[in-house]
Amino acid sequence: TLKAAIFRQPTGSAMTWTRDDGWAHLKETESLLANGVAISNDGEILFYVETVAGKLHRRPLASPRGAIDIDIEGSSDNLSWTSRGTLLLATHTQGLGLLNCFLRAGACRTGWAVYEIDPATMAARRVTTHSGDSIGAVATALEVKGDLLLSSVFDDRIGKMPQSSTNSG
């Protein structure tokens, strides 16, 4: 999958499942390493990232009309909802360094950033950025009781950061 994504070949698409019809591909969701996903509270809008392309997509499930795509710095990874109804998106900011981590075992100290996204407008605000020297390759940021919990795809640790200490980037 990574090889295909590096050579800019779509690696998959978003899919839905129903009891009557089974699995079906959603139109116009073919992606270069589709990754993190989230669904709106009403179940009508799909959000997903395209890691290799550094994009976040908003797709109404009933129709491709009303789709919005935005560029995000780095290699976007996972999504999570906040208590404010916004999305958090973790992104890797050192692509070649991250690739090196993929090829070897052990801790990974690559840079990352976290963005907060307004799901209605798709406006993105960088919440924080980090060099990766304490915790690297952050793949997910999750809001829990005023803190950001940070998980890493290759590192040997997780992080906890008070939201009051995040910057507006």
Side-chain angles (χ1 to χ4, degrees), residues 132-144:
D133 61 347
S134 298
I135 177 174
V138 165
T140 303
L142 178 66
E143 179 188 76
V144 177

Side-chain angles (χ1 to χ4, degrees), residues 1-13 31-35 49-53 99 102:
T1 300
L2 284 175
K3 185 177 179 182
I6 290 168
F7 292 109
R8 310 305 268 180
Q9 298 171 347
T11 58
S13 62
S31 301
L32 301 174
L33 196 59
N35 199 350
V49 301
E50 202 172 349
T51 299
V52 172
L99 181 59
F102 179 74

Side-chain angles (χ1 to χ4, degrees), residues 120-142:
T121 65
M122 295 292 280
R125 176 183 70 87
R126 187 169 55 198
V127 174
T128 192
T129 187
H130 194 274
S131 67
D133 61 347
S134 298
I135 177 174
V138 165
T140 303
L142 178 66

Side-chain angles (χ1 to χ4, degrees), residues 15-98:
M15 298 179 73
T16 60
W17 182 87
T18 64
R19 186 180 314 209
D20 294 336
D21 299 324
W23 289 103
H25 291 271
L26 288 173
K27 291 180 181 178
E28 299 181 29
T29 63
E30 211 170 58
S31 301
L32 301 174
L33 196 59
N35 199 350
V37 297
I39 193 82
S40 62
N41 258 356
D42 61 10
E44 294 184 12
I45 300 175
L46 170 72
F47 299 87
Y48 68 97
V49 301
E50 202 172 349
T51 299
V52 172
K55 292 190 178 293
L56 171 62
H57 302 281
R58 179 182 187 266
R59 293 284 186 275
L61 292 172
S63 163
R65 292 178 54 199
I68 300 173
D69 306 316
I70 64 169
D71 293 323
I72 297 290
E73 173 193 12
S75 301
S76 3
D77 210 324
N78 291 311
L79 296 166
S80 66
W81 288 104
T82 70
S83 60
R84 296 171 302 289
T86 58
L87 286 164
L88 291 177
L89 168 59
T91 184
H92 306 283
T93 58
Q94 296 172 320
L96 291 177
L98 189 66

